[in-house]
Amino acid sequence: MAYVLSFGDVDRTQVAIVGGKGANLGELSRIDGLEVPDGFCVTTDAYARTLAGAPSIDDRLDELARLEPDDRSAIAELSAQIRRTVEELAIPDDVAAEIIDAHARLGVDGAYAVRSSATAEDLPTASFAGQQDTFLNVAGAAAILEHVRRCWGSLFTERAVTYRLRHGFGHLPIRMAVVVQRMVFPRAAGILVTADPVTSDRTVVSIDAGFGLGEALVSGLVNADVYQVRDGVILSSSIATKKLAIEPAAAGGTQVCEIAGDRREQPVLTEAEVLRLARAGRRIEAHFRTPQDIEWCLDGNDIHIVQSRPITTLFPIPVAADEQNRVYVSVGHQQMMTDAMKPLGISLWQLTSSAPMRDAGGRLFVDVTPALSAPTTSAGLIEALGRSDPLIGDALQTVIDRGDFVRQVPQADSGDTPTTRHESAPAPIETDPGIVTELIADSEASLAALKRDIRAQSGPALIDFLRADIQELRRVLFAPRSLRVITAGMDAAQWLNTQLWEWLGERNAADALTQSVPGNVTSEMGLALLDVADALRPHLAVVAALRQVEQAGRTGSDFLDELTAYPGGDEARAAIEDFLDTYGMRCVGEIDITRPRWSESPATLVPMILGNIENFEPGAGRQRFADGLRGAEEAGRRLLQRLRALPDGERKAEEAAAMIDRVRTFSGYREYPKYAMVSRYFVYKQALSAEAARLVEAGVLRDPEDIFYLRFDELDEVVRTRQADAQLIDERKEAFRVYQTISAPRVLTSDGEAVTGAYRREDLPAGALPGMAVSTGIIEGRARVVADIARADLAAGDILVTAYTDPSWTPLFVAIAGLVTEVGGLMTHGAVIAREYGLPAVVGVEHATDLIRDGQRIRVNGTDGYVEILAQPDE
């Protein structure tokens, strides 16, 4: 068993032996023409051998694993105990001898860097950057051994432990190697990344440079000169005032030194050095085949590379059929579901959608390049997407304005462009509620046929059946008359907003007129859960039992059986099950078929039911609908009365009354198609889950949920061949874990650039956060920043602040006074329900969940589209 390996004996495959940093250094040393200071790795076997002298550590690591990431005091105390124990262990004689011999071969008189190299560090999926310790300018065998122990101990710093807990890494499986590397005493050092750190553009190399050792930059002690290079051309250089540098100390270690005044404004690098570094970075990137974060130093004219790690924060680029420039728009920002999706969910959504989509990073994107490239279509595309999400529209306009990525090519007039087409538009649909009734009846009959016919299907026949039924789903979902109803409701609302502003100066008039519209299956769901609370409220023992379910964090359905042991339990169970019969197919992120549905995890509803019991009186659901209906009717009467007083008022009032009737007839249907789609998805999921159980029983799969990590066509093959690639499934699971940690951009280019849009408004109060006004009104209240619906703790009058909402969040809307989201548009779920419930709402507020703190008092201006922070939580 080797306890020490030289860099020449190490490559990227040996992470388990020498850790991520050691493996990367060994690989770097193999690249021709690259200067890597020589060194060796103390292997993880040396770590394990030494820790075997303290068997009690395993028990304490188990205890550490049970802590919550936010329990800082407990983490600090226990991790400090473990770290002290590790640092005080005696290194076994044979391990120490190998380290001393390797040190002697390199030179006992030299100075060395001793760096931690954990097995979960500098990986393609997780950097763990800065989580363990590095020691510089270490001289002498005794000091090397001491700092090896200190590196081992740094695996248990409070920051390293917290990082692992937050990212789902266990403490026992991770082991620590140590890199011992010759020190370079450079005149300059820094960091080079082979992608723009702000925009993620992979065509740009960004170089940070400072005088002295690079640790000054890594630690944030000094400002850096920053250079950006593309294709051998320096795009920009920013020369900082550099007052400090870290230099080697004569007695070992390092010291902070002041830079002489005449050097503070000097560039750290010459243009030639910048370009040499950029070329070295591209060479390293090509070797590792992924963008790299590289630490370098400059000794005389020689560039030394002392570390390289993958950049783990870049959003992946969709794979295209060619290498032409491409512009992609996020589907998730349109669907109010920006979380990562599993492969089965992605592929099923692609089969369902009418638009071709590409996936990357667990998200879906539409390639809008062809439309952007044609002047006849680009303006319409930008306008349409800008109405839905102004930040997307502005980002696309930014790409066009640059003129160097997508070039607009005038197209010959074929007589068939949107501006010259002569076919007649469809006749306007009449304002007839019977049309909505017929559409819903057709959808429900189709769903009933699916439920009846799918029961007899299994194996390959099931997959064929589902593939055929997806076409039936598309028929129902994209029925022309269904789309005309939705469009008619939207057009009527737009007409009312435009005309009533012109005639009466009434802003966003349609918002008040669309409260409590009939037939909105999503807003009805929120009120129905209030009825569930009414059924449970009189039964105190049942309510107490539900509190225990909430406190225990249970997620299953067993608690429903347990309720029957309490007085009123049968009635309570029946009320919950009746709700689930209608709405149990819903859940957070419901467009992803792999997400657990309320019917599968009914305890998810318990906090919302308890919140309704605490915050509302009996009959609140019916009262809320009645209040909204009365408010809409009163708003309509008031507006029509004002119109009649105008010149030509009778005509204007007649036209407005027709549009009010139209918007109230059709607006409720807007939420139904998605409800129908999700209902169908749940039937698919139940059938596929049963098939997965059969595959597990046959030994084809290890776990029923393994099917979630297969695309639909891959699942088809597994079902037919009775063979599955376990390694592929494991790789997909790891990729999904990583995708959950990164945020999807609204607009992404094939260079990897996340193009950021802006509101470009000058009408905002100082310090206000801009967004999109989607439900009129102004409200002040306590901000409740909620990331997980299961942890929402809302009181009446609170303002919900979250990344996005989908229909599963609707039950929370009955308790709040206003809404702020990071994602959304005029017709996305949160906006539609906010208008129906009469809640002021602003969506598309960039970084709202970071900029607004939980408990702050804020003002939401849903009329003009901005949010103001009024006071801190303790003021």
Side-chain angles (χ1 to χ4, degrees):
M1 183 181 294
Y3 295 123
V4 171
L5 293 173
S6 68
F7 287 173
D9 297 327
V10 172
D11 62 31
R12 75 178 84 178
T13 67
Q14 293 171 283
V15 171
I17 300 172
V18 296
K21 190 178 274 96
N24 288 346
L25 276 168
E27 193 71 32
L28 282 168
S29 69
R30 297 165 180 266
I31 302 175
D32 290 339
L34 212 62
E35 292 287 337
V36 179
D38 202 2
F40 60 87
C41 299
V42 181
T43 67
T44 56
D45 288 330
Y47 168 81
R49 172 78 188 283
T50 304
L51 258 66
S56 64
I57 283 182
D58 284 356
D59 293 336
R60 280 184 281 177
L61 291 180
D62 286 337
E63 183 181 350
L64 198 61
R66 291 192 292 270
L67 297 178
E68 291 294 327
D70 295 326
D71 192 350
R72 296 182 59 182
S73 60
I75 292 172
E77 181 179 355
L78 188 53
S79 61
Q81 292 175 10
I82 298 172
R83 183 174 188 180
R84 281 195 302 272
T85 300
V86 172
E87 291 182 352
E88 291 170 0
L89 288 172
I91 300 178
D93 290 344
D94 53 343
V95 175
E98 285 198 34
I99 296 172
I100 291 170
D101 286 348
H103 171 239
R105 286 194 296 273
L106 284 179
V108 295
D109 294 329
Y112 294 86
V114 183
R115 302 176 184 271
S116 304
S117 181
T119 52
E121 183 177 15
D122 292 352
L123 305 178
T125 56
S127 73
F128 282 74
Q131 299 307 311
Q132 284 86 46
D133 288 345
T134 288
F135 303 97
L136 302 179
N137 197 22
V138 178
I144 294 287
L145 293 173
E146 176 191 347
H147 286 88
V148 166
R149 279 200 307 269
R150 293 177 66 183
C151 283
W152 287 341
S154 74
L155 191 59
F156 303 103
T157 61
E158 181 181 348
R159 66 178 181 272
V161 168
T162 301
Y163 186 96
R164 291 196 293 273
L165 288 172
R166 290 194 185 281
H167 290 80
F169 286 87
H171 305 297
L172 278 171
I174 297 176
R175 301 200 296 175
M176 179 70 85
V178 179
V179 169
V180 180
Q181 186 177 28
R182 283 187 185 275
M183 277 288 296
V184 176
F185 299 108
R187 69 170 179 83
I191 301 164
L192 179 159
V193 289
T194 61
D196 188 309
V198 176
T199 69
S200 300
D201 187 343
R202 269 74 155 182
T203 68
V204 174
V205 172
S206 185
I207 302 169
D208 286 14
F211 293 120
L213 295 169
E215 272 62 27
L217 300 184
V218 174
S219 65
L221 178 66
V222 300
N223 295 325
D225 288 359
V226 180
Y227 308 88
Q228 291 202 316
V229 181
R230 178 190 285 136
D231 297 332
V233 177
I234 298 175
L235 301 176
S236 65
S237 58
S238 174
I239 308 304
T241 299
K242 298 165 284 291
K243 298 180 180 179
L244 302 173
I246 293 181
E247 302 285 356
T254 61
Q255 59 187 355
V256 177
C257 302
E258 287 195 14
I259 296 174
D262 58 346
R263 293 183 65 211
R264 291 182 177 183
E265 309 293 338
Q266 290 181 7
V268 173
L269 301 174
T270 65
E271 289 189 4
E273 289 167 341
V274 169
L275 296 177
R276 284 177 60 207
L277 277 166
R279 288 194 294 271
R282 289 298 184 208
R283 190 181 309 133
I284 295 168
E285 178 186 60
H287 183 85
F288 284 101
R289 299 182 180 179
T290 188
Q292 295 287 299
D293 177 345
I294 300 162
E295 295 178 30
W296 58 270
C297 53
L298 196 60
D299 179 19
N301 291 321
D302 296 328
I303 295 174
H304 299 273
I305 304 299
V306 295
Q307 189 49 253
S308 185
R309 62 179 66 87
I311 305 175
T312 60
T313 56
L314 296 177
F315 196 87
I317 304 172
V319 177
D322 55 42
E323 296 187 359
Q324 298 298 313
N325 288 349
R326 299 284 172 186
V327 180
Y328 302 99
V329 169
S330 165
V331 173
H333 285 79
Q334 304 292 309
Q335 286 293 327
M336 295 287 277
M337 213 302 263
T338 56
D339 294 347
M341 297 171 65
K342 298 186 181 75
L344 183 62
I346 285 176
S347 59
L348 191 64
W349 185 257
Q350 287 175 306
L351 290 171
T352 303
S353 173
S354 60
M357 298 178 182
R358 298 188 181 277
D359 65 285
R363 278 78 166 189
L364 286 164
F365 294 85
V366 174
D367 183 353
V368 297
T369 316
L372 281 184
S373 301
T376 54
T377 55
S378 63
L381 174 74
I382 292 171
E383 181 184 0
L385 289 176
R387 282 199 304 267
S388 173
D389 186 323
L391 296 177
I392 290 179
D394 186 75
L396 292 176
Q397 189 62 56
T398 297
V399 173
I400 292 297
D401 291 345
R402 289 177 184 171
D404 60 350
F405 190 80
V406 172
R407 298 190 183 279
Q408 293 198 324
V409 180
Q411 296 177 325
D413 187 356
S414 64
D416 192 33
T417 67
T419 56
T420 61
R421 193 175 292 136
H422 295 294
E423 69 257 29
S424 59
I429 195 167
E430 59 182 314
T431 307
D432 179 4
I435 298 172
V436 173
T437 302
E438 291 173 10
L439 288 169
I440 292 175
D442 176 55
S443 178
E444 290 181 346
S446 177
L447 179 63
L450 166 65
K451 290 179 177 179
R452 180 190 67 234
D453 296 340
I454 202 171
R455 294 171 188 158
Q457 308 299 326
S458 65
L462 171 63
I463 302 300
D464 291 340
F465 178 88
L466 290 176
R467 201 180 294 276
D469 194 79
I470 289 170
Q471 299 310 308
E472 171 65 5
L473 166 60
R474 287 168 56 86
R475 179 193 72 79
V476 175
L477 191 61
F478 302 118
R481 203 159 61 141
S482 176
L483 297 177
R484 287 172 65 195
V485 165
I486 293 171
T487 302
M490 293 169 60
D491 288 347
Q494 181 61 40
W495 187 96
L496 287 165
N497 283 336
T498 301
Q499 293 303 126
L500 295 179
W501 170 252
E502 178 182 334
W503 291 340
L504 299 175
E506 188 81 19
R507 197 161 196 171
N508 302 330
D511 291 0
L513 299 169
T514 52
Q515 293 183 76
S516 297
V517 296
N520 187 319
V521 69
T522 305
S523 61
E524 289 171 353
M525 176 178 69
L527 303 180
L529 203 60
L530 286 171
D531 294 340
V532 173
D534 286 350
L536 273 58
R537 184 180 283 106
H539 308 300
L540 300 183
V542 168
V543 174
L546 291 181
R547 293 196 194 287
Q548 292 179 352
V549 171
E550 180 186 31
Q551 291 167 2
R554 294 169 63 179
T555 59
S557 59
D558 293 347
F559 78 95
L560 290 173
D561 295 329
E562 297 167 5
L563 291 182
T564 59
Y566 302 98
D570 289 332
E571 182 182 345
R573 175 176 175 168
I576 295 172
E577 288 181 339
D578 285 348
F579 179 87
L580 292 172
D581 285 344
T582 305
Y583 304 108
M585 79 295 293
R586 312 218 84 151
C587 67
V588 174
E590 63 188 11
I591 67 171
D592 181 355
I593 193 176
T594 71
R595 292 288 190 100
R597 309 285 140 171
W598 285 344
S599 287
E600 298 169 318
S601 182
T604 305
L605 296 171
V606 169
M608 290 185 277
I609 294 171
L610 291 173
N612 287 346
I613 291 173
E614 293 170 4
N615 293 322
F616 294 96
E617 296 295 325
R622 292 184 298 276
Q623 185 64 48
R624 181 154 198 146
F625 185 86
D627 290 345
L629 179 58
R630 184 167 55 253
E633 290 173 344
E634 290 175 354
R637 283 194 295 270
R638 176 177 55 82
L639 290 168
L640 294 177
Q641 184 178 13
R642 291 175 61 195
L643 286 173
R644 291 189 182 99
L646 299 176
D648 198 19
E650 286 300 328
R651 177 189 63 81
K652 292 174 180 175
E654 182 179 346
E655 291 179 2
M659 285 299 176
I660 292 172
D661 183 26
R662 194 168 178 80
V663 80
R664 293 195 62 78
T665 298
F666 291 143
S667 291
Y669 180 75
R670 173 68 178 81
E671 291 284 302
Y672 185 82
K674 189 173 186 180
Y675 169 82
M677 182 197 75
V678 172
S679 298
R680 213 171 191 98
Y681 271 14
F682 188 39
V683 178
Y684 295 171
K685 184 182 184 184
Q686 290 173 308
L688 288 172
S689 295
E691 186 65 27
R694 290 189 284 270
L695 291 171
V696 170
E697 186 177 356
V700 178
L701 296 176
R702 295 165 296 182
D703 184 277
E705 292 194 0
D706 283 353
I707 65 167
F708 297 161
Y709 298 92
L710 298 170
R711 298 182 61 83
F712 189 79
D713 57 336
E714 295 168 341
L715 177 59
D716 185 352
E717 184 177 355
V718 168
V719 170
R720 294 179 193 281
T721 65
R722 313 294 282 181
Q723 294 182 334
D725 187 339
Q727 182 178 348
L728 172 67
I729 292 171
D730 288 341
E731 289 172 355
R732 295 272 179 81
K733 289 179 179 179
E734 175 59 21
F736 178 73
R737 187 194 65 76
V738 175
Y739 296 156
Q740 288 178 297
T741 67
I742 57 178
S743 298
R746 283 176 163 84
V747 175
L748 180 68
T749 75
S750 51
D751 285 343
E753 180 183 3
V755 186
T756 304
Y759 285 100
R760 308 187 191 281
R761 294 173 56 180
E762 298 179 355
D763 61 336
L764 300 177
L769 307 178
M772 186 177 186
V774 295
S775 185
T776 196
I778 300 173
I779 192 72
E780 294 183 11
R782 180 179 64 164
R784 298 316 306 255
V785 181
V786 178
D788 180 357
I789 191 173
R791 296 175 179 266
D793 181 16
L794 296 167
D798 283 344
I799 297 171
L800 175 61
V801 180
T802 190
Y804 69 85
T805 64
D806 62 10
S808 68
W809 289 71
T810 300
L812 296 183
F813 281 33
V814 298
I816 61 176
L819 174 69
V820 179
T821 68
E822 295 179 339
V823 176
L826 191 63
M827 294 308 298
T828 49
H829 159 264
V832 171
I833 305 304
R835 289 194 291 272
E836 279 211 34
Y837 284 179
L839 305 175
V842 180
V843 303
V845 180
E846 281 273 80
H847 311 298
T849 57
D850 295 323
L851 297 173
I852 300 172
R853 289 171 50 200
D854 187 60
Q856 285 181 322
R857 187 166 184 82
I858 64 174
R859 179 186 296 126
V860 176
N861 190 320
T863 302
D864 294 320
Y866 60 84
V867 180
E868 296 174 276
I869 298 173
L870 303 177
Q872 303 303 322
D874 55 352
E875 293 181 4

